[in-house]
Amino acid sequence: MSNLRLAQVPPGSQDLLADDVRLRRTVQRAWFGLAEESGYREVIPPTFEYEEVFTLAGTQLANELIRFVDRDGRLVALRADFTSAIARMASTRLRDAELPLRLSYAGKVYRQRPEGGGHARETFQLGAELIGSAGPEADVETLRLAIGLLRALQVRDFQINLGDIRFVQPLLTGLNEAEAESLRSAIDRKDRAALADGARRYGAPAAVARALVELPELIGRGDVLLRARSLASGPEAEAAIERLRAIDALLTEEERAHVVYDLGEIRGLGYYTGMQFEVFVAGLGRAVAFGGRYDGLLARFGADRPAVGFALETDALAAVLGEVL
């Protein structure tokens, strides 16, 4: 094997030198200080699990697993997601623990990404899960943890895009998977023309067609929730708006200044059941954090409990921190 080959690392992996490590440790120290102060206890799930732990979470995650066969012949996968692993842990080892559970973590996740797209296959994450609390106060607690870490790292220019998956789901009811995926793609692109065309082709009722076409413009501060309420398609969508209004009422004025409501926000892993959000920092072209409510996930592991959580990309925060220091 040539020395040139030995000097390389596989695509999507990375060497971290002293300065890189220092920045990540700075982020982690700030995080665990905040998490411990807020009552969150650190847990460390295994680096690899039986693949079912992650396939239960949905097809998107299942498609990105890095799998191998264990010596017992079963398929295992490198940890692709902390939330799924902690849901398994909370449903088994911590099944009898007093609720609510407040758990924090930091470590690597591993996902198979297309080569040549600039996607890392191993990344550092940190985050928290609040298990056993169903109210909007728990959603706000999660948001405040993310905001608190950004403030601790002196990151001031950031935006939280906040939505609720239940507002969009009724608009896709009755469609087959191909039709639903076509509309989800148009919603994600905020393509009004494609949404209008899809509503016509799939025979959407007038109220649903109107809501679909308006989705790309349902973005703004708290007042956009009033407009969205008039477009809600059924009880679930109405509940989504009321939940977002309750969250808005609990936020402080300073916190609210960083929040933009996006009712067409549907990106993320397939286990979200309600509120979901992404965090963007000025100067970075992608989200540095993402999270939401996943009330149905623990039931898949045998313990039906409400839950909400988030993950922040430690590598992205380290890059931001490197520009500040």
Side-chain angles (χ1 to χ4, degrees):
M1 186 178 294
S2 70
N3 289 336
L4 178 60
R5 179 72 176 272
L6 289 173
Q8 298 174 339
V9 297
S13 60
Q14 57 182 330
D15 285 322
L16 295 177
L17 303 182
D19 286 343
D20 303 315
V21 173
R22 178 179 60 86
L23 291 171
R24 283 157 180 77
R25 294 296 185 229
T26 298
V27 172
Q28 289 180 344
R29 280 194 297 271
W31 165 238
F32 282 120
L34 174 65
E36 290 172 10
E37 182 181 294
S38 303
Y40 285 75
R41 299 178 296 162
E42 183 183 4
V43 293
I44 304 177
T47 304
F48 56 91
E49 304 244 16
Y50 290 117
E51 69 159 355
E52 292 90 346
V53 170
F54 304 110
T55 57
L56 281 173
T59 55
Q60 178 182 336
L61 200 60
N63 291 336
E64 295 182 345
L65 294 180
I66 299 176
R67 299 174 171 89
F68 56 96
V69 180
D70 199 3
R71 63 187 301 170
D72 63 4
R74 289 186 63 180
L75 272 176
V76 296
L78 293 178
R79 183 175 58 226
D81 173 54
F82 271 99
T83 298
S84 299
I86 292 174
R88 190 262 314 151
M89 184 187 297
S91 301
T92 54
R93 299 286 303 279
L94 297 172
R95 187 183 186 93
D96 297 324
E98 183 179 353
L99 298 177
L101 274 173
R102 289 179 169 85
L103 305 175
S104 64
Y105 62 83
K108 283 186 177 182
V109 294
Y110 307 86
R111 296 184 186 177
Q112 192 69 267
R113 301 289 178 83
E115 291 190 23
H119 299 292
R121 290 195 290 179
E122 60 166 355
T123 59
F124 281 93
Q125 287 186 352
L126 56 84
E129 313 296 342
L130 176 51
I131 297 167
S133 185
E137 294 83 3
D139 298 342
V140 171
E141 182 175 321
T142 299
L143 291 168
R144 281 185 176 144
L145 279 173
I147 292 171
L149 178 59
L150 292 171
R151 288 175 175 167
L153 296 174
Q154 305 300 311
V155 177
R156 304 299 182 197
D157 194 358
F158 64 91
Q159 176 176 302
I160 299 173
N161 286 8
L162 181 59
D164 192 309
I165 192 67
R166 294 173 299 169
F167 186 81
V168 175
Q169 283 174 332
L171 304 179
L172 307 178
T173 300
L175 301 178
N176 63 43
E177 184 53 36
E179 294 168 343
E181 182 55 36
S182 174
L183 283 181
R184 279 194 293 264
S185 177
I187 292 169
D188 192 32
R189 299 193 313 271
K190 302 192 183 302
D191 188 336
R192 291 193 73 183
L195 289 169
D197 180 65
R200 283 193 298 271
R201 283 191 290 122
Y202 306 142
V208 171
R210 180 185 170 214
L212 281 169
V213 173
E214 294 295 321
L215 263 182
E217 295 186 358
L218 291 179
I219 304 174
R221 303 296 180 180
D223 55 348
V224 80
L225 299 178
L226 297 176
R227 181 181 171 199
R229 188 167 59 177
S230 69
L231 296 169
S233 299
E236 279 293 297
E238 292 171 0
I241 297 304
E242 291 310 307
R243 182 58 165 243
L244 291 174
R245 293 185 68 199
I247 290 171
D248 190 76
L250 290 168
L251 294 171
T252 68
E253 184 175 349
E254 184 180 0
E255 291 165 343
R256 207 175 289 123
H258 291 285
V259 174
V260 171
Y261 293 97
D262 184 350
L263 276 301
E265 177 57 58
I266 59 169
R267 286 168 288 185
L269 299 172
Y271 48 65
Y272 290 135
T273 59
M275 179 272 290
Q276 64 179 62
F277 66 92
E278 292 185 317
V279 181
F280 295 88
V281 171
L284 292 179
R286 60 185 179 87
V288 302
F290 40 88
R293 180 159 287 280
Y294 52 97
D295 288 345
L297 183 58
L298 272 77
R300 303 177 195 180
F301 295 96
D304 190 3
R305 296 171 179 169
V308 61
F310 72 99
L312 289 103
E313 299 287 353
T314 309
D315 295 326
L317 292 177
V320 173
L321 193 62
E323 296 176 0
V324 174
L325 297 180

